[in-house]
Amino acid sequence: MAEQSPYVPPKVWTPAASGGAFANINRPVAGATHEKALPVGKHPLQLYSLGTPNGVKVTIMLEELLALGHAGAEYDAWLIRINEGDQFSSGFVEINPNSKIPALVDRSGQEPLRVFESGSILLYLAEKFGAFLPTDIRARTETLNWLFWQMGSAPFVGGGFGHFYAYAPEKLEYPINRYTMETKRQLDVLDRQLANHRFVAGDDYTIADMAIWPWYGGMVRGEAYDAAEFLAAHEYTHVVRWAEEIAARPAVIRGRKVNRVRGKPEEQVAERHQASDLD
């Protein structure tokens, strides 16, 4: 068999068929591909999402707020099937021009307010309800440090390691090694922090934990890319301890079910419009 020639980038890049799990929705431009309005339910908070790690952040936050007794956090969660291109509808692009889940509309005021990017949604809800974000400047800043750490790190874990390890049409050693190295470094960063703290930002459970747990907690628990053994995740003992504690929280158990269409049938609730939908 003839040896394949190395890839030489052209002077000007043009789109080409890439293959892989998401080839049918990848494109180099933004904007809507079709006209379709988004549904609106009975609650002020309307969430449009999917049960991916980024989507789970927000449903956990909402369920945690409800568990604290914040009745205003009642919400409708509508399923956005990203493999089918729902995120490119005109209605979705109107609330998130970046066409990524999750996206939230708060209709409790005089005018609807859109909130997109999972970290922004967590911060918005924390400030709206005065929960899971400390008011002390030092503790607040530490929480936001870790929230933005996750937002900045996730592309390496999801778009990098997850893509090349689990979704790319062929296994390539260089990118897998490159992103495995970075993923393990991030796990080590988190493990060192959790060696001296019960939760990521200190003694209190915050939006930082809600942002980080669906990605890194799922990874060490063997739920992300089926890669726990490959990453030797058991070595990050403090991350494992933290991940198991959060996984046992009732609101986390409930939040993980919302907009989920994979896994065990009893853990899948495609849409959520009232609390009893999760029972």
Side-chain angles (χ1 to χ4, degrees):
M1 181 180 295
E3 184 175 337
Q4 186 175 358
S5 300
Y7 172 70
V8 178
K11 289 185 177 181
V12 179
W13 181 85
T14 56
S18 60
F22 302 102
N24 65 318
I25 59 171
N26 289 339
R27 60 195 185 111
V29 296
T33 60
H34 59 284
E35 291 292 323
K36 185 178 180 181
L38 291 176
V40 178
K42 62 183 178 180
H43 301 298
L45 296 178
Q46 298 292 302
L47 178 66
Y48 304 92
S49 192
L50 180 68
T52 67
N54 284 334
V56 165
K57 296 176 189 176
V58 178
T59 51
I60 285 175
M61 174 62 164
L62 290 165
E63 292 297 327
E64 291 281 12
L65 288 168
L66 291 170
L68 281 183
H70 293 284
E74 269 293 348
Y75 66 103
D76 291 279
W78 302 94
L79 182 63
I80 300 296
R81 295 183 182 272
I82 60 174
N83 283 347
E84 298 177 13
D86 290 350
Q87 70 275 31
F88 299 118
S89 72
S90 57
F92 192 90
V93 171
E94 186 177 351
I95 61 171
N96 186 355
N98 195 36
S99 292
K100 302 291 184 181
I101 63 95
L104 178 76
V105 177
D106 185 351
R107 297 178 174 273
S108 62
Q110 292 185 343
E111 296 290 336
L113 175 63
R114 73 178 188 182
V115 194
F116 61 89
E117 289 295 326
S118 57
S120 179
I121 296 172
L122 291 178
L123 181 56
Y124 175 77
L125 292 172
E127 292 182 332
K128 178 181 177 71
F129 292 101
F132 302 114
L133 179 62
T135 55
D136 171 76
I137 186 62
R138 295 186 67 86
R140 175 187 169 87
T141 301
E142 184 69 0
T143 299
L144 295 180
N145 287 342
W146 287 101
L147 172 65
F148 289 108
W149 172 81
Q150 189 281 319
M151 295 297 293
S153 299
F156 292 97
V157 175
F161 174 75
H163 176 79
F164 287 105
Y165 180 78
Y167 299 128
E170 58 181 311
K171 305 297 183 186
L172 300 174
E173 183 178 5
Y174 175 80
I176 290 176
N177 284 344
R178 168 68 181 89
Y179 287 110
T180 299
M181 184 84 71
E182 177 61 13
T183 297
K184 287 182 69 67
R185 188 192 69 80
Q186 290 178 21
L187 284 167
D188 191 49
V189 169
L190 190 58
D191 199 61
R192 291 169 186 261
Q193 175 70 5
L194 289 167
N196 299 309
H197 302 89
R198 179 181 176 187
F199 297 109
V200 172
D203 296 330
D204 297 324
Y205 176 62
T206 69
I207 56 174
D209 299 283
M210 297 178 204
I212 296 168
W213 182 84
W215 284 99
Y216 300 85
M219 192 165 284
V220 300
R221 299 180 79 235
E223 298 169 352
Y225 314 122
D226 194 25
E229 182 179 5
F230 179 75
L231 293 168
H234 66 280
E235 296 177 354
Y236 305 99
T237 56
H238 305 294
V239 179
V240 172
R241 182 269 308 163
W242 163 85
E244 294 300 336
E245 179 177 354
I246 291 180
R249 293 178 67 91
V252 172
I253 294 171
R254 293 174 66 82
R256 292 187 67 204
K257 296 179 182 181
V258 182
N259 297 143
R260 190 171 183 178
V261 293
R262 292 183 179 180
K264 300 176 182 178
E266 64 271 20
E267 295 178 349
Q268 298 181 35
V269 179
E271 292 187 355
R272 187 264 192 215
H273 303 290
Q274 55 195 6
S276 59
D277 289 342
L278 301 179
D279 297 332

